Amino acid sequence: MALKKSELYSSLWSGCDALRGGMDASQYKDYVLSFLFIKYITDKYESKSFTPIKIPKGASFNAMVALKGKSDIGDQINKKIIAPLAAANQQLSQSDFPDFNDAVKLGDGKEKVDRLTDLIAIFESKSLDFSKNRAEGDDILGDAYEYLMRHFATESGKSKGQFYTPAEVSRIMAQILGIREAKTTRMTTVYDPTCGSGSLLLKVGDEARSEVTLYGQEKDATTSGLARMNMILHNNPTATIVQGNTLSSPKFLSGDTVKTFDYVVANPPFSDKRWTTGLDPLNDPHARFTSFGVPPAKQGDYAYLLHIVRSLRSTGTGACILPHGVLFRGNAEADIRRNLIRKNYIKGIIGLPANLFYGTGIPACIIIVDKKDATARRGIFMVDASEGFIKDGPKNRLRAQDIHKIVDVFSKREEIPGYSRIISVDEIESNDFNLNLPRYIDNRQAEDIHDIAGHLQGGIPVSDIDSLSRYWKVCPALREALFTDNRPGYVDLAIDKADIKSAIYGHSEFAAFIKRMNRHFAKWRTRIAAELRELEAGCHPKQIIEELSEGLLTHYTRQPLINHYDVYQHLMDYWDEVMQDDIYQIAAEGWKAETYRVLVKDKKGKEKDKGWACDLIPKGLIVSRYFAKEQAAIDQLQAEVEQIAAQRMELEEEHSGEDGAFGKLDKINKSAVSDEINGDLDSPDDVAILKQWLKCHAKEAKLKKELRRAEAELDGKVYAKYAELSEDEIKPLVVDDKWIATLDGAIHGEIDRISQAITQRVKELAERYESRLPELSNRVAEVEVKVSDHLERMGFVIEKSTLLGAVK
């Protein structure tokens, strides 16, 4: 059975459970990722010739398995596995790996042996056979590595999560560089001077249409080791990752000057207060600060940005993540900013939401540097994307639609009010070269202002109705059907408030809009369903979702009322939850609907059989298509069980009082009720009630037995049906009944949301202005008089209010 991404992730994460307690996430990640790396290269390269990674005899994961339970397991892993691997591969160093004999982190004696043995056993699972579960061009292992890195960063805390740039931000940077549209070759170079675990660098490399050469430098020795492993796991074993401080000791040089690259990306440490360590900025041997100025000693953001500028070729493009402060801070940073703007190096700025990054909660921005077109540039394109995100635990996260919108708007230089603008250098200069986004883009939501005249004299302001213009463009006659004139500038609701929903839904123009949207989806569904049925083993899941999602986005672009990015998000969510596992399975094995036993461990670790299942085709789809009559009979039985159970409970509820038929019973069950009937009950009515209860109970038990038998019989038929399914029968079940049906429901949910939005807004406006303020004041005065009279009769002396006169 094919390896599912979701199962792979959960299996790997369970490896962390074996290590928790003795160390924090920033430490145990090194052990889990090292095991993942060794298992991967063993499955992919062992016993093969001319491979980029050499595995010496006795230094594979299989040799590690033989060490399980041995008292010196940690020392043996260091000496017999890690050391030979590092010696045989120049990309690797023994310092890239943690110490597997560290008693402080792993415990001593049996504790260490058990931990490492358990960890080996997790990766030994047959379901983690990476040699058979990798679709060409789809880095399922690399994705798993990303998954672990993200979770480690989440658990590592504020000071230790900086080794990882969120994948969503990395994707934005990779796409806005324009590397996909460029003509790239192996000679095309991409560089990250603060590469961390390498995720950002890899995203840029993946975005290129052909293989490019990757370079990275990372100050932390352990993290640079993770980056080298990450490159290999992502099938980039020739990438050059070096360890060292980029500012004080850049490793990529051409003589005395820093080496230049076609593309440079970075997520440097925010506001590095120790950036000058080992460096005299006034006498920088690489002349990085000569032309633009020296950054302040306790604020290193511009030091990294100027290193990027210096590292770019004359036709190069770079992108750097920096805190928002670089856009507006004064003194030395203001001078640097002014010089960069006058040089026209800054192509764009993208403001990101706060709390995205694992090392800090402050908002950040992406600064795009482009030397190629600097002489012709006369402005900076700004995007304020700070409001596009969802909450994900303690952090915020960019959705697929947020990423796509940012990239689309930036690539097309599309100006959207409240979101993006091209800012001329003249305007920037008039603001003293301050680049703070709110100075140029107002993303505040328009206030829902109450109209005083409307409250005093009645009537809904026409300006509020005009604000719904996007609905009236689609349904112009609907406006006339909903409102009538009151006086100049104001209208009244033309129908009863309770009829707003039915008036909108039943209006011919709105009904026609719904039909058009249904036809629009049906057109896409017909085309896509045919394409999905053509999938075969060996297909490329990532290519499939890219083509599928881009096609859906284009299909809904420029459609009225509906947001095409929202539609796109539904597909991407479903892909993450279900569809990608299905297509990875098809890519590995073809259209096979295999069943398996569901085994669940209880608290004592014992496995319990919870029946059977099929991931590709859930049972319900087989039942709906082939056994609808049997399911209907079961549903009828279930309804009868519920009905008789309701009658039984009604008897219990009605006669459970102190003097009721069930009043003397501690528990109400068959035995207790029978004993009560056979006892010394004096009331014939109570006896009749108890006998009626027994009849209900007996009938309920009989129906439940029939229900269990019918369910078991249907379960057997369904199970047998899976073995009979042909490929031609499997495809419509998966494509039509599962994938397309789910997307149909989600996208039609967007149409429902449109309907609900206009209904709710019209109702809200009607309720807001349906009662004039003088009328409300009169009602208040009347109620006040009544309350005062009641209080006086109770003995309280109350002064009458003059509220009504004051209002008038």
Side-chain angles (χ1 to χ4, degrees), residues 64-231:
M64 194 180 284
V65 171
L67 299 175
K68 288 195 304 181
K70 294 186 178 295
S71 59
D72 60 347
I73 182 173
D75 187 51
Q76 290 296 309
I77 290 175
N78 286 341
K79 292 178 179 177
K80 293 187 175 180
I81 309 293
I82 305 301
L85 270 176
N89 297 279
Q90 64 177 6
Q91 309 102 306
L92 301 175
S93 166
Q94 185 148 6
S95 63
D96 294 344
F97 299 88
D99 181 2
F100 285 88
N101 203 35
D102 190 330
V104 175
K105 294 178 182 176
L106 296 170
D108 214 347
K110 188 175 184 301
E111 182 182 6
K112 182 199 302 176
V113 173
D114 289 347
R115 274 187 166 172
L116 292 175
T117 297
D118 290 345
L119 197 54
I120 292 171
I122 289 168
F123 284 90
E124 196 181 1
S125 169
K126 291 181 180 179
S127 64
L128 299 184
D129 183 354
F130 301 142
S131 64
K132 299 177 182 177
N133 290 284
R134 233 177 137 262
E136 184 183 349
D138 287 289
D139 288 304
I140 189 169
L141 264 295
D143 292 344
Y145 190 89
E146 285 283 321
Y147 167 87
L148 289 172
M149 295 295 281
R150 182 172 71 252
H151 280 71
F152 289 139
T154 301
E155 291 200 356
S156 291
K158 185 174 180 180
S159 63
K160 299 174 183 176
Q162 293 182 358
F163 57 79
Y164 177 71
T165 301
E168 296 83 7
V169 180
S170 296
R171 281 200 290 274
I172 291 172
M173 296 178 73
Q175 293 177 48
I176 61 176
L177 285 176
I179 194 170
R180 172 169 286 201
E181 292 73 32
K183 293 181 180 179
T184 55
T185 66
R186 285 290 301 273
M187 301 298 292
T188 304
T189 55
V190 183
Y191 167 56
D192 186 342
T194 57
C195 70
S197 60
S199 59
L200 173 55
L201 188 57
L202 281 166
K203 287 291 186 298
V204 179
D206 288 343
E207 191 65 22
R209 291 192 180 276
S210 60
E211 190 174 351
V212 295
T213 303
L214 305 181
Y215 298 86
Q217 183 166 343
E218 168 55 37
K219 181 165 64 173
D220 184 82
T222 302
T223 304
S224 67
L226 293 178
R228 280 186 282 273
M229 294 183 203
N230 202 3
M231 296 296 138

Side-chain angles (χ1 to χ4, degrees), residues 514-529:
I514 298 297
K515 286 181 179 178
R516 283 202 309 275
M517 287 294 99
N518 289 343
R519 288 197 301 269
H520 193 70
F521 177 79
K523 186 177 179 181
W524 179 80
R525 177 182 59 205
T526 301
R527 186 182 77 252
I528 293 304

Side-chain angles (χ1 to χ4, degrees), residues 777 780-781 784-785 788 798-808:
S777 299
V780 169
E784 184 181 30
V785 169
S788 297
I798 302 296
E799 288 187 22
K800 296 291 189 294
S801 171
T802 58
L803 173 62
L804 182 59
V807 171
K808 287 183 176 178

Side-chain angles (χ1 to χ4, degrees), residues 579-683:
M579 202 171 171
Q580 72 167 335
D581 278 343
D582 290 345
I583 292 185
Y584 268 96
Q585 180 176 329
I586 293 168
E589 300 175 347
W591 296 87
K592 293 181 180 179
E594 296 182 349
T595 58
Y596 62 91
R597 303 307 300 181
V598 180
L599 303 174
V600 179
K601 288 186 178 180
D602 60 19
K603 293 181 180 179
K604 295 181 180 179
K606 292 184 178 179
E607 284 189 340
K608 289 189 175 182
D609 192 331
K610 294 291 184 179
W612 60 274
C614 176
D615 290 326
L616 188 62
I617 306 177
K619 293 180 185 180
L621 298 183
I622 297 289
V623 171
S624 296
R625 188 170 277 254
Y626 296 104
F627 302 102
K629 188 182 294 184
E630 290 86 341
Q631 185 61 53
I634 288 173
D635 292 341
Q636 178 61 36
L637 274 174
Q638 182 66 49
E640 291 176 19
V641 168
E642 291 172 1
Q643 184 179 11
I644 197 69
Q647 293 177 17
R648 175 180 54 77
M649 288 188 285
E650 189 177 340
L651 284 171
E652 294 173 9
E653 204 171 310
E654 189 175 345
H655 301 284
S656 289
E658 203 171 300
D659 298 326
F662 301 97
K664 296 178 183 179
L665 300 180
D666 294 329
K667 292 182 178 179
I668 302 176
N669 54 37
K670 180 182 177 182
S671 176
V673 171
S674 298
D675 290 344
E676 187 74 359
I677 291 172
N678 296 326
D680 54 355
L681 275 176
D682 296 328
S683 170

